[in-house]
Every structure is written in C-alpha cells, then in structure tokens.
Amino acid sequence: MKTLKDAKVGDTVIVKRLHGEGVLKRRFMDMGITKGVQLTIRKVAPLGDPMEVNLRNYELSLRRADCEMIEVE
Amino acid sequence: MDIKIALAGNPNSGKTTMFNDLTGSTQRVGNWPGVTVEKKEGRLKHDKNVIIQDLPGIYSLSPYTLEEVIARDYLLNETPDVILNIVDGSNIERNLYLTTQLLEIGCPVVVALNMIDVVRKNGDVIDVEKLSIELGCPVVVTSARQGEGTREAAEMAILQAKAHQQAGHPHVFEGPVEHAVAHIEEGIKNHVPASHLRWYSIKLFERDEKVIQQLALGHEVMAGIEDAVTTCENEMDDDAESIITNERYAYISKLMDVSVKKAPRKGNLTISDKIDRVVTNRWLALPIFAAVMVVIYFIAITTIGAIVTDFTNDTLFGEWIIAPMHGWMETIGAPLWLDGLLVDGIIGGVGAVLGFVPQMLVLFLMLAILEEVGYMARVAFIMDRIFRKFGLSGKSFIPMLIGSGCSVPGIMASRTIENERDRRMTVMTTSFIPCGAKMPIVGLIAGALFGGAWWVAPSAYFIGVAAVIVSGIILKKTKPFAGEPAPFVMELPAYHAPQVGGVLRSMWERGWSFIKRAGTVILLASIVIWFLSSYGVADGNFGMVEDMDTSILAAIGGAIAPIFAPLGFGNWQATVATVMGLVAKEEVVGVFGVLYGVSGDAMTMVEEGAFSGLAPIGAHFTMLSAYSFLLFNLLCAPCFAAMGAIRREMNSAKWTAFAIAYLCVFAYAIALIVYQLGMLFTGHGFTVATAIALVVLAFLLFMLLRPTPGRNKSKLAAARTRAAGSP
C-alpha cells in the first residue's frame, strides 16, 4: 500500500482511500482530502517535517506521520 | 427590533477585515464563555440597529474543534437573523465546503464572495448569478480590503433577514443519502425545531456525537436512524461521515465546472509561491526565520521597547508623577498613610500595569504584521518539528523568545496559536524563560557568592529552556492536556501586504485587553503587598513602619520561612524578598540590600559589578543555598503583571490557579532536588530531606519517561484499521 508519506517532493498523486477514524480523518476530509482528489507535494520543511501539499488550488501543511493514513496512487 | 447578523467563514477568508469594515469603532472584544477563544461583536456603521457577531474562523461545522463547536452552538441556539458567509473567491472550492453546511442550518444565508480583486487579478471569472441560483442564496461580490461591496453585502443580509428568506437546499447529496436523511427527518421531526430539521438529520446521519448527546432520542428512534444509515453505508461502501464529506466536495466540483472559469496560470507560480520558494526553502528558511526573530527582539525588547518602557516607568511615573505627587501631598499636609496608599500603592500599582503597555504595543504591532502578511503560518511550518515533541506549537517559539525580554507580552503573544491546548501549554511555560527583570537576581547571586562567575547567567537560560521542555513533556501526559493531540493540518495562506488599519486595530485590541483584564489583578495585588510591607507593629503600636523588618510581611515571612528550609534558604529575609519579587522580580535585589544591611543601593552595585559591597548578603548564604534560591525565584510564579497576563489568556480562574500552582510546585521540586543532592555530594550526610528529594526526583523522572496513558490503545486501533484496510 502506497501512502502519502512515501511520496516525494514534486510528485502528484491521487487519493485512493483514507484510513483511521476520528478527529484526524475528519479534519483531512474537511480540508478537502477526499477520495479521488489530486495532491501535489510542494516541499518539505527545513527540518524534514511537516510537508506542504497543494490541493484544490491551495496550500496545506501536514505532518509526515499523519500522512500514513492517506493511501494514494 | 435589532437584527443580528452572524459572520461566518474560513480562517484567512478576510472575515476580520470585513468585520472591521462593517463595524468601524463599535466593536466589543471579549471571550466566548469559559474558553480562550476571542469573541467579537459590533454594530453596523450605517445602521446601529444591526448587531454583527463575528464567529471564530472555521473550515467546517464538525464536532471536533473548539472553534467549530462554538460556531455551531451559536448558530443553533442564539438564532441569528441571517448568516453572512465570507467566501475567499481565490480559494473558492474549499471555502464553499463550509457554505454547504451553513445552508443546512435553516437560517437565511448571504454569501459574500470576497477577495474578488485577487480573483480578477488572477484572470479568473466567476459566474455569480449561476452560483447564486445553484446555492439557493444571494451572492454579493466583495473585496473587504478595498472596501468594495461590503455595504451591499450587509444590506442584502438585512433584506434577507427582514424577509425571513430561508436559504434553499442545493442538491448536494445523491439519492441514497437523501433517502436516508428523509427517513431520519421523519423520525425526529417532533423532537427538533422545524427550521433546524435538516441540519439535525444530516448530523445524525454522520453519527455526530454532540448532537446524539444533545437530543438524547429514545432507543427506538435511534435504532431506526442507525438502520437507515447502515443501509446507506452498505449501498455506498463507505462510512457515513466520509459519504457526506465526499459528496459535499463532489457537489462543489460540479458547481466549479459550471460557474468558474480559471485562467491558465503562467508558469504555474503565483507571487506567494515565489515568496515561499525563498522563505520556506530548505536551506534559507531557518536563517530567514532567525533574522526575523532577531529584528523583532531587537525592536520590541532591546531598542524601542526598552526606551518606551524606561520612559513610562522611570520618567513618566517615577519623575513626572510619583515624585511631584509626594511633594504635593506633603505641602497639603496629607497624613503619611494616605500619601503611601495613593502614591506608592495605587499610582505605583497603576504604573506597574501601564509600564508594560508601550512595549507591548510595539511588540503586538510587529506580531500583527507577521500575522497579516501570512508569515506566522510559516513559522509554525518551520518550527513544528521541534516544538510538537514538548506538546507545544511551532508558534510557541515567539512567546518564548519575547518572554526572554518580558513574560507579559510573551504570554500575550500566545494568542496567535490556534489550538487551545497548545495555547494553554505555552501560557503556562513561557514564564520559565528568564525575563529581563530576573537578570538582576542572577547578577546578585553571581556577584555575591560566585565572584561574578560567567556561567551563572547562561545556566539561568539553560534551566529556563530545560524547564519548558521537561514541563511540556510531563504536562502533555497529564489529564488536563491528555487525549488525541490536535491534528496539525494547517493551511498556508497566500501572502498579503499588511493593512495599516487592521494591523493598528489588532495591536490596540490586545494592548487594551491587557490593561482591562490584567490591570485589575495587578493593581489589587500591588496595593495588598504595599500594605503588608509598610504596616506593622513597632513600639507596641500598629501602624506604618519605617523598616521593613517590623512589617506584617516580615512577620508572615518568618512564619512561612520554614517551608523553604529544605531548599536551604529558610530565613525570613529570603522569604520576604521572594514575595516582593511577585510585585516585580528585580525587587528581590533591592529588598535583599535593605534587609541584609547593604550600605548603598544593591541594584547599582549589581549593575556596576561592585560585588564586594554585596558581602553582607553573601554571608547569609552558601553557594548551594544561593543557587537554590536563584532556581526557585527563576521558576516560581512570575510577577503579578505576568500572572495577570496568564489570567487574561487562560480566561478561567481554575486554569490560572492551576498554572501558578504548577509553576510554584515545579520550582520547589527543582530547588529541593538541587539543594539536597548538592548537600549529599558535598558530604553533609544522608538525611530525611535527602530521601524526600530522591523520591521527588524519581517521581519527576517517572512523569517524564512514562508512556502517554491511552496511547497504546489508539496505536492498536490504528494498526487494526490499517490491517483491515490492506488487501
């Protein structure tokens, strides 16, 4: 299973499924990370975490550990 | 009858600018009851019968974040006459997500399509009429920054409110969902107000815990609902919450296709992207961040800040007000106690409050600019990695840095942290960082006992930082801070040029809220301490006393001094100095000078490095007990002004008490461990106190190293879902 955590800077991926439940999952979805949406990895913070992702025409910053919940292809 | 307009929208949608533009100078700023979230209310500039209630910036109406719950409760329980929904036109897709939820509440809605200037500049075209028809509510084009359309938006909202024109229900959901929702509506229509029926039904479909709790429906009804939801979930092969969110976004995508024409992007880079390429660049981000912080520190603390603070404290209050007041009181022959109460107690107390304000305004001005520009979000992005380990936010760096100058503005700077738990943690730990006023104490101890050793001052900073880290780790595992950490899923807003009006307003609001809320605490405390330290029994009579030795405070100090005996400074002088330090930390030095009979001004000696004059103080301490005294004074409850700031930011007496108690207990524990183990290692034998210190140390280590309670469970659950998810 490939997750967003494995994606590299510059990659564009499509969300296949969100794992987990509760607050974090809902927050992801509220911010527009839903099935089928396209994510572009823009950059990683200087200390290696979090990372910046572009989706639905805006910039979102996510922690790598949390990205494990997002299955992509 | 007044008309109530609720202002709702995403963070960074220009909601605050819109609110300022609509209400002008009629704003009232407070807090939502019992929480640290700001509440702003005002009246429409052109029509004083219209109340405008600003809601917290939110992305959704989920039950998970404090801000969202506040907004929900307000919209449902306070029943505003109309919702004015600010939508950032340049980020329309995600902003409309909230709109689809607001439309379900059953209240008239007007959409203000904001930042239209940015949309135009990008060359995008939005078909407003189409959008309005599809959404079933009026859409007004606005640019709050340029004052365009804001009045029209408010007037449209008033019109809708007067007509009780409920928003239509756009066809957001597909058949199976609508079917289930209709089913739920049927089941609960006698339990909820008719206007909110759709809202409650959709929330029940999502299995929204807050709504389930609130409605407390009977078993039969709930079983019927669960049945409808499960059927739909099986049909759509997803969980109910995901179905709803997915369909909202799917609906918005379709809406985008018919109503928005995006201009092709040149080279795919906006101005914000270009700035970010430098500012959050892998190699440049940290140096730039450091440079920004140096500039802020330099301006707010070292140069302008120090000048204005010295002016208000020494010149304005010291020379221009207090000294002439003393002289005047003398000429009119006022009794000594009145002179003392008015001038030293009250005016001195007011001075203690106001003395910080100019410096705070300078600092708040710069923080407001950083926020307006959009750099604050980048600070969190850059620093998150380090700070989240201690249960703090990346934005906690700024309060800590400012705190090294003065804890008061430092604590107030925590306002920029969006998560309540991180904010509370920052408020609690900021005063560990030694502020400017604690430096004289460090100088005193270093001079009187360590011969001015160079390492004492750096060790104070090191201990401060260590105390923040240790406390962060300990506290985040305790009950008040327990539970799932807040998700860090944060928008990086586009950069904007700061607006003079907005920046100045934000600066003034924060300064004023400090004066108002913290001022009373500081003033009262100053008067009490003044009374205790200048009254006492001398020559058998109660009255004002010349020497502090005979004051009530000295008596109290003598009574509670034994508490500090295990820390090595169980004498009344040290106790009194510590208490006086609560007025202002640098007082400790002066009080020591007086109580130990230093000839001359102890503060001047510390400043000039004339350590030999401090010998009378040194005679009462050992190196170890002096260092223990220093530790306790660095870490314990800060001065009243900072406690007032804590009170202001916590907005709760309970949390304030908890914070101050924690600081004192932590300071006591550390000083105890250092003193007792120091005694042990310097050959003073193993005593009961040593044993206690070892127990305290063991407890501290346990709290520090124990796994987070409940963490294993959630990890297991996550592993299980992962296992279930993989084919």
Side-chain angles (χ1 to χ4, degrees):
Chain A
M1 181 180 87
K2 191 186 173 195
T3 70
L4 185 59
K5 200 183 171 191
D6 311 317
K8 302 265 174 310
V9 174
D11 285 1
T12 294
V13 295
I14 292 185
V15 175
K16 216 167 131 194
R17 195 190 172 102
L18 286 175
H19 295 278
E21 54 190 17
V23 192
L24 188 57
K25 184 179 182 188
R26 173 64 186 257
R27 180 80 170 174
F28 280 149
M29 294 191 298
D30 281 344
M31 297 308 277
I33 305 181
T34 54
K35 217 184 287 180
V37 79
Q38 188 175 307
L39 306 175
T40 307
I41 303 19
R42 298 299 288 262
K43 66 164 76 77
V44 171
L47 300 169
D49 198 20
M51 59 193 214
E52 187 186 332
V53 167
N54 181 286
L55 75 151
R56 299 185 189 273
N57 286 309
Y58 82 99
E59 311 290 320
L60 190 66
S61 121
L62 306 163
R63 283 181 185 156
R64 279 188 170 242
D66 299 341
C67 290
E68 231 179 355
M69 279 176 56
I70 304 170
E71 190 180 338
V72 296
E73 58 187 4
Chain B
M1 256 290 275
D2 287 347
I3 289 179
K4 249 192 300 183
I5 302 180
L7 223 52
N10 283 188
N12 309 306
S13 62
K15 197 164 60 65
T16 308
T17 316
M18 174 79 85
F19 179 71
N20 289 341
D21 194 71
L22 291 176
T23 57
S25 54
T26 64
Q27 300 180 8
R28 280 214 330 256
V29 188
N31 277 67
W32 294 90
V35 293
T36 60
V37 180
E38 221 166 55
K39 179 181 186 177
K40 287 187 189 176
E41 206 183 273
R43 284 178 184 270
L44 190 61
K45 260 194 296 197
H46 323 286
D47 187 349
K48 295 285 181 279
N49 295 323
V50 179
I51 300 172
I52 300 192
Q53 175 67 58
D54 191 26
L55 297 177
I58 48 173
Y59 295 109
S60 170
L61 290 174
S62 87
Y64 295 119
T65 77
L66 183 63
E67 283 79 4
E68 290 172 11
V69 172
I70 290 171
R72 273 163 63 133
D73 288 351
Y74 179 83
L75 292 174
L76 287 169
N77 304 334
E78 310 281 319
T79 50
D81 297 295
V82 56
I83 301 170
L84 183 55
N85 175 209
I86 318 298
V87 166
D88 174 0
S90 63
N91 185 358
I92 187 166
E93 206 169 334
R94 202 208 54 226
N95 273 251
L96 282 178
Y97 176 73
L98 177 67
T99 310
T100 62
Q101 300 181 55
L102 293 172
L103 288 169
E104 285 155 7
I105 287 179
C107 174
V109 175
V110 172
V111 167
L113 192 63
N114 198 27
M115 305 214 185
I116 199 69
D117 52 322
V118 181
V119 176
R120 288 184 196 131
K121 212 166 134 197
N122 290 344
D124 300 342
V125 179
I126 301 176
D127 186 340
V128 177
E129 221 161 294
K130 195 123 198 185
L131 202 59
S132 169
I133 293 168
E134 290 287 333
L135 290 172
C137 72
V139 177
V140 182
V141 172
T142 63
S143 166
R145 296 183 146 258
Q146 300 175 346
E148 180 192 334
T150 52
R151 190 169 174 171
E152 288 79 358
E155 269 157 17
M156 178 59 87
I158 295 167
L159 211 66
Q160 296 287 308
K162 283 186 175 152
H164 300 289
Q165 185 61 56
Q166 282 207 3
H169 295 153
H171 303 291
V172 176
F173 305 118
E174 283 177 40
V177 180
E178 283 297 349
H179 185 79
V181 169
H183 209 79
I184 298 171
E185 279 178 354
E186 190 61 32
I188 65 164
K189 66 181 177 201
N190 296 323
H191 300 275
V192 299
S195 58
H196 300 332
L197 183 59
R198 186 171 170 84
W199 155 269
Y200 279 116
S201 302
I202 292 171
K203 287 292 143 189
L204 285 170
F205 182 87
E206 288 181 308
R207 297 199 186 89
D208 185 299
E209 272 171 37
K210 287 240 153 57
V211 165
I212 292 175
Q213 244 173 38
Q214 182 206 337
L215 293 182
L217 298 162
H219 272 299
E220 222 168 291
V221 184
M222 282 310 288
I225 292 172
E226 190 53 37
D227 210 38
V229 176
T230 324
T231 311
C232 181
E233 283 181 326
N234 289 337
E235 194 176 335
M236 309 201 46
D237 188 29
D238 212 341
D239 64 285
E241 216 176 10
S242 305
I243 294 173
I244 293 284
T245 343
N246 282 334
E247 296 212 344
R248 285 191 203 284
Y249 270 111
Y251 165 77
I252 293 167
S253 297
K254 269 187 276 164
L255 191 55
M256 292 295 96
D257 290 343
V258 296
S259 60
V260 180
K261 275 203 193 67
K262 289 230 171 260
R265 293 273 181 278
K266 272 180 251 144
N268 212 12
L269 279 183
T270 63
I271 297 171
S272 273
D273 292 338
K274 283 178 196 152
I275 298 174
D276 255 343
R277 275 179 94 177
V278 180
V279 169
T280 58
N281 175 285
R282 213 145 181 186
W283 307 110
L284 292 176
L286 287 172
I288 290 176
F289 174 69
V292 171
M293 291 302 123
V294 166
V295 169
I296 289 190
Y297 192 88
F298 185 70
I299 295 176
I301 306 292
T302 326
T303 55
I304 299 178
I307 294 167
V308 289
T309 307
D310 288 349
F311 172 77
T312 31
N313 284 334
D314 301 343
T315 313
L316 181 66
F317 278 93
E319 286 173 30
W320 294 358
I321 298 182
I322 292 187
M325 274 296 279
H326 273 307
W328 183 71
M329 294 296 258
E330 220 169 286
T331 47
I332 62 164
L336 208 57
W337 66 266
L338 185 67
D339 177 44
L341 173 68
L342 276 182
V343 183
D344 294 332
I346 297 178
I347 297 181
V350 172
V353 179
L354 296 185
F356 289 107
V357 172
Q359 182 181 34
M360 270 166 48
L361 291 183
V362 174
L363 173 74
F364 291 156
L365 176 71
M366 288 189 297
L367 291 185
I369 293 173
L370 288 191
E371 265 179 281
E372 272 254 324
V373 167
Y375 189 67
M376 273 295 185
R378 272 77 188 179
V379 170
F381 180 70
I382 296 168
M383 300 305 286
D384 175 70
R385 177 82 195 256
I386 300 175
F387 278 82
R388 71 158 190 251
K389 288 206 167 71
F390 322 128
L392 295 164
S393 148
K395 291 186 188 172
S396 303
F397 185 86
I398 292 171
M400 304 275 163
L401 178 83
I402 300 302
S404 68
C406 175
S407 300
V408 177
I411 289 164
M412 303 282 293
S414 66
R415 190 82 58 88
T416 55
I417 298 167
E418 56 287 301
N419 176 264
E420 178 160 68
R421 198 183 312 173
D422 296 351
R423 200 158 48 218
R424 284 195 172 129
M425 187 82 92
T426 309
V427 168
M428 276 184 77
T429 51
T430 295
S431 73
F432 279 143
I433 303 291
C435 68
K438 285 175 182 167
M439 280 299 113
I441 313 180
V442 176
L444 174 79
I445 301 296
L449 283 131
F450 294 91
W454 66 269
W455 55 266
V456 180
S459 81
Y461 285 106
F462 176 77
I463 285 158
V465 172
V468 170
I469 293 173
V470 168
S471 296
I473 297 174
I474 289 178
L475 286 173
K476 78 172 182 181
K477 294 175 189 170
T478 60
K479 213 160 166 217
F481 292 98
E484 286 285 306
F488 180 84
V489 181
M490 195 191 59
E491 178 189 8
L492 292 173
Y495 288 98
H496 288 291
Q499 259 196 319
V500 179
V503 164
L504 289 178
R505 188 186 294 273
S506 152
M507 168 188 94
W508 176 246
E509 260 166 23
R510 287 176 190 177
W512 178 239
S513 88
F514 168 75
I515 298 171
K516 214 170 48 179
R517 301 281 205 90
T520 40
V521 179
I522 302 168
L523 186 58
L524 259 174
S526 305
I527 294 173
V528 169
I529 294 285
W530 165 81
F531 175 74
L532 293 178
S533 64
S534 43
Y535 274 75
V537 181
D539 308 325
N541 295 318
F542 180 78
M544 261 185 113
V545 290
E546 280 286 306
D547 296 323
M548 212 187 264
D549 306 40
T550 47
S551 68
I552 307 175
L553 191 59
I556 297 175
I560 59 174
I563 297 175
F564 296 114
L567 311 188
F569 52 94
N571 53 55
W572 69 267
Q573 291 94 333
T575 312
V576 168
T578 303
V579 174
M580 292 301 284
L582 298 178
V583 177
K585 287 288 168 180
E586 70 269 22
E587 287 272 316
V588 171
V589 175
V591 172
F592 257 15
V594 172
L595 297 183
Y596 285 123
V598 171
S599 53
D601 184 14
M603 186 65 116
T604 322
M605 292 180 190
V606 170
E607 277 168 6
E608 289 170 357
F611 299 135
S612 54
L614 300 170
I617 297 173
H620 288 80
F621 285 91
T622 63
M623 274 179 161
L624 192 55
S625 67
Y627 199 75
S628 157
F629 176 79
L630 177 63
L631 277 180
F632 185 79
N633 271 280
L634 286 181
L635 300 177
C636 77
C639 65
F640 288 126
M643 285 194 251
I646 292 177
R647 170 81 183 84
R648 169 66 195 89
E649 289 311 305
M650 289 292 194
N651 189 36
S652 136
K654 222 173 75 192
W655 271 99
T656 311
F658 175 61
I660 292 168
Y662 175 79
L663 294 174
C664 292
V665 169
F666 185 80
Y668 193 91
I670 298 299
L672 179 75
I673 292 167
V674 168
Y675 182 70
Q676 290 300 336
L677 296 189
M679 288 296 275
L680 180 66
F681 291 131
T682 48
H684 286 82
F686 193 92
T687 62
V688 180
T690 325
I692 295 172
L694 284 173
V695 171
V696 173
L697 178 63
F699 179 70
L700 205 65
L701 287 175
F702 166 73
M703 294 295 281
L704 194 60
L705 300 174
R706 71 177 171 148
T708 308
R711 190 63 166 294
N712 289 338
K713 225 169 61 195
S714 67
K715 258 197 183 146
L716 255 174
R720 213 174 297 134
T721 44
R722 217 174 292 143
S726 54

